Amino acid sequence: MNATKYNLVIILFLLVFKGFSQEILTKKEALKITLENNFGIKIANNNIEVAKNNASVLNTGFLPTIAATSGTNYRRENQDVTFQDGTNRTIDGAVTKSYNAALSLNYTIFDGLGRKYNYQQLKETYNLSEIQARETIENTYVQLFTIYFQIARLSENTDNLSEALLISKRRLERANYQYNYGQSTKLELLNAEVDVNNDSISYITAKQQLNNAKRGLNIILGIDKEPNYAVETEVDFNKMMNFDDLLQKAMANNALLKQNEQNIAISEFNIKINKSQYLPRLGFTSSYGWNQSDNPATSFLAGATITGLNAGLNLTWNLFDGGATKTRVANAKIALDNQQILLEQQKTTIQNNLKNTWENYQNQLFILSAQEKNVLTAQNNFNRTEERYKLGQVTSIEFRQAQINLINAKTVFNNAKFDAKLIEIQLLQLSGDILNVAF
């Protein structure tokens, strides 16, 4: 076995060993880790809990309030008292003590239906928080797969550059042998050395970009993971998609549109809440109290203990508040009108974005198909050029150009493949269907 073949076997062995030793982070695993650990998703879930607490009956005023109070008073003073019969009495340091305790209950029987509408509004706010959390998850999906496929892109490009470096090293060995045996010039050897150096720089740079991208993925995953893993580079496209179905799904499920619809519902309840100020309010109060006092000799009573229950109804009707309620109702109606306008604007925007993205997707699929043919052509051209180079029928410059053409064709094909997949993900997000697709 000559040196060239021996080196080739060693390099291939190392590549195979590396492939077996590297952990494969699948798209499914990456998605699972992200849903469990992503910081933005955690915050969104906490916001849902806050909205859930706010939408509880405990936060609506439907339940009565009960309060317990107690107190004591101590008074020491000098008294000079004249009674009705004309007698007079003077006491220095007269002490008066009093104690009290009470349990009171307050309940609003009717408040113009304000509580009811406020409760319903809080429920709509809770629904809005769920949609906002869904949007956060959708955006995280896009961020995750954007960087995941970027890593896949860089991985394949790095492999291409590694293969190119291997070819350049074989060429350098060949040029070195030919030069030593007087079969080629020094210029051929120098050109081969320059190409090896350039390919080495390109490979090292690509490796650094790949590691940087993997560290960026850690932020999305919400974990600290060493960049010594590989990712899936296979890409499957959703062949069942068509524009009419996407448009129908977008109008029904798009997260931004659903949020606009929830804001309209919230604004409608806001009008009703403000209108409730026109109606009277009826409240019920009740308390049970205990009072005890110890009085000085100058007092008519030496002491007293009083216990008892009292209850009452109170009615309040704000007949005229200077026009404040009327103003609030008018402004709430304007706010509702604005939300309806925003909904129509959002529908138009999403339709246009969907059309543009769909056309980009179709163009990218065509480019992908064309680039796949270019790779086959460039590969065939390189194979033929390599054979002719070994036979001395083409120059090293022609061989290098064929090699560069092959590297560029593979790189452009990889870029087209992953660009098409990312555009597909954008379509799924616009249609509101991204969370229902298996990756």
Side-chain angles (χ1 to χ4, degrees), residues 156 160 233-237 239 363-381 405-418 420:
E156 292 206 340
N160 292 336
T233 57
E234 299 82 7
V235 172
D236 297 322
F237 293 98
K239 303 296 184 181
N363 292 338
Q364 199 62 41
L365 290 178
F366 173 79
I367 292 172
L368 177 62
S369 177
Q371 292 299 337
E372 187 175 15
K373 296 177 182 177
N374 287 342
V375 170
L376 295 176
T377 301
Q379 185 68 59
N380 291 332
N381 179 62
N405 290 341
L406 178 59
I407 295 172
N408 291 340
K410 287 183 176 180
T411 300
V412 173
F413 172 74
N414 286 335
N415 292 339
K417 177 174 66 173
F418 293 112

Side-chain angles (χ1 to χ4, degrees), residues 164-173 189-203 400 403:
L165 177 59
L166 180 61
I167 293 171
S168 295
K169 286 182 176 179
R170 292 203 304 264
R171 176 184 154 212
L172 176 60
E173 275 194 68
L189 178 61
L190 293 176
N191 285 338
E193 289 179 350
V194 169
D195 291 338
V196 167
N197 289 335
N198 288 335
D199 289 347
S200 297
I201 293 171
S202 298
Y203 175 72
R400 178 62 175 175
Q403 183 186 19

Side-chain angles (χ1 to χ4, degrees), residues 114-261:
R115 290 177 303 182
K116 173 185 175 182
Y117 297 136
N118 183 58
Y119 184 38
Q120 292 174 328
Q121 186 185 62
L122 289 173
K123 286 183 177 179
E124 296 297 340
T125 303
Y126 170 71
N127 293 336
L128 175 62
S129 69
E130 286 191 319
I131 298 173
Q132 289 171 338
R134 176 190 139 195
E135 183 191 13
T136 298
I137 296 174
E138 288 181 354
N139 290 335
T140 304
Y141 265 57
V142 175
Q143 293 172 358
L144 170 65
F145 289 116
T146 297
I147 194 166
Y148 186 94
F149 287 125
Q150 175 66 2
I151 293 172
R153 183 203 310 261
L154 291 171
S155 297
E156 292 206 340
N157 289 343
T158 301
D159 290 342
N160 292 336
L161 292 173
S162 176
E163 180 183 351
L165 177 59
L166 180 61
I167 293 171
S168 295
K169 286 182 176 179
R170 292 203 304 264
R171 176 184 154 212
L172 176 60
E173 275 194 68
R174 180 183 179 86
N176 191 42
Y177 290 147
Q178 289 176 334
Y179 176 74
N180 289 335
Y181 288 101
Q183 298 178 353
S184 68
T185 65
K186 182 70 172 179
L187 181 61
E188 288 281 338
L189 178 61
L190 293 176
N191 285 338
E193 289 179 350
V194 169
D195 291 338
V196 167
N197 289 335
N198 288 335
D199 289 347
S200 297
I201 293 171
S202 298
Y203 175 72
I204 293 173
T205 302
K207 284 286 291 182
Q208 183 61 49
Q209 291 175 343
L210 178 59
N211 288 335
N212 290 344
K214 288 180 179 179
R215 294 186 186 97
L217 180 61
N218 286 348
I219 298 176
I220 306 299
L221 296 176
I223 60 174
D224 186 12
K225 186 178 181 66
E226 289 298 322
N228 55 352
Y229 59 88
V231 299
E232 295 175 326
T233 57
E234 299 82 7
V235 172
D236 297 322
F237 293 98
N238 191 339
K239 303 296 184 181
M240 301 302 294
M241 286 199 303
N242 66 76
F243 180 76
D244 291 336
D245 287 345
L246 289 172
L247 181 59
Q248 184 178 3
K249 289 180 178 179
M251 293 299 101
N253 301 314
N254 181 273
L256 292 176
L257 292 183
K258 300 300 287 185
Q259 289 181 62
N260 285 131
E261 292 171 357

Side-chain angles (χ1 to χ4, degrees), residues 16 19 46 107 110 132 147 151 172 206 214 245 263 268 285 304 315 318 374 384 390 413:
V16 171
N46 286 339
Y107 181 66
F110 180 75
Q132 289 171 338
I147 194 166
I151 293 172
L172 176 60
K214 288 180 179 179
D245 287 345
N263 285 328
E268 289 174 342
T285 61
L315 177 68
N318 195 350
N374 287 342
R384 293 177 61 185
K390 291 177 181 178
F413 172 74

Side-chain angles (χ1 to χ4, degrees), residues 254-411:
N254 181 273
L256 292 176
L257 292 183
K258 300 300 287 185
Q259 289 181 62
N260 285 131
E261 292 171 357
Q262 288 301 128
N263 285 328
I264 287 176
I266 291 171
S267 297
E268 289 174 342
F269 282 119
N270 197 39
I271 294 174
K272 295 178 179 180
I273 290 171
N274 284 300
K275 282 185 175 180
S276 69
Q277 301 296 318
Y278 287 129
L279 299 177
R281 280 159 174 71
L282 179 64
F284 169 77
T285 61
S286 177
S287 65
Y288 182 85
W290 168 80
N291 291 272
Q292 180 178 321
S293 62
D294 296 327
N295 303 317
T298 54
S299 176
F300 181 75
L301 298 175
T305 299
I306 302 172
T307 59
L309 175 69
N310 66 76
L313 294 174
N314 58 76
L315 177 68
T316 303
W317 195 348
N318 195 350
L319 299 177
F320 182 69
D321 62 357
T325 299
K326 181 179 179 181
T327 302
R328 287 193 295 269
V329 171
N331 290 339
K333 289 180 179 179
I334 295 173
L336 172 61
D337 187 46
N338 285 339
Q339 290 296 334
Q340 292 171 335
I341 294 172
L342 286 174
L343 177 61
E344 294 304 315
Q345 180 189 35
Q346 196 65 255
K347 285 182 178 179
T348 302
T349 301
I350 289 175
Q351 287 178 358
N352 289 335
N353 289 342
L354 191 64
K355 289 177 183 177
N356 293 337
T357 308
W358 175 257
E359 290 181 2
N360 290 339
Y361 182 59
Q362 297 303 313
N363 292 338
Q364 199 62 41
L365 290 178
F366 173 79
I367 292 172
L368 177 62
S369 177
Q371 292 299 337
E372 187 175 15
K373 296 177 182 177
N374 287 342
V375 170
L376 295 176
T377 301
Q379 185 68 59
N380 291 332
N381 179 62
F382 174 76
N383 293 339
R384 293 177 61 185
T385 303
E386 186 178 31
E387 291 298 324
R388 295 181 64 191
Y389 175 70
K390 291 177 181 178
L391 297 173
Q393 296 177 352
V394 297
T395 66
S396 62
I397 295 177
E398 292 173 311
F399 175 78
R400 178 62 175 175
Q401 187 59 51
Q403 183 186 19
I404 291 175
N405 290 341
L406 178 59
I407 295 172
N408 291 340
K410 287 183 176 180
T411 300

Side-chain angles (χ1 to χ4, degrees), residues 46-89:
N46 286 339
N47 290 337
I48 290 178
E49 289 301 313
V50 171
K52 182 179 179 181
N53 292 336
N54 289 337
S56 169
V57 69
L58 302 175
N59 190 45
T60 58
F62 274 113
L63 301 179
T65 60
I66 301 174
T69 59
S70 64
T72 181
N73 288 293
Y74 175 86
R75 189 169 70 235
R76 181 183 177 89
E77 56 195 356
N78 298 328
Q79 297 182 353
D80 187 355
V81 180
T82 301
F83 296 102
Q84 291 291 336
D85 59 1
T87 59
N88 180 273
R89 188 164 186 178

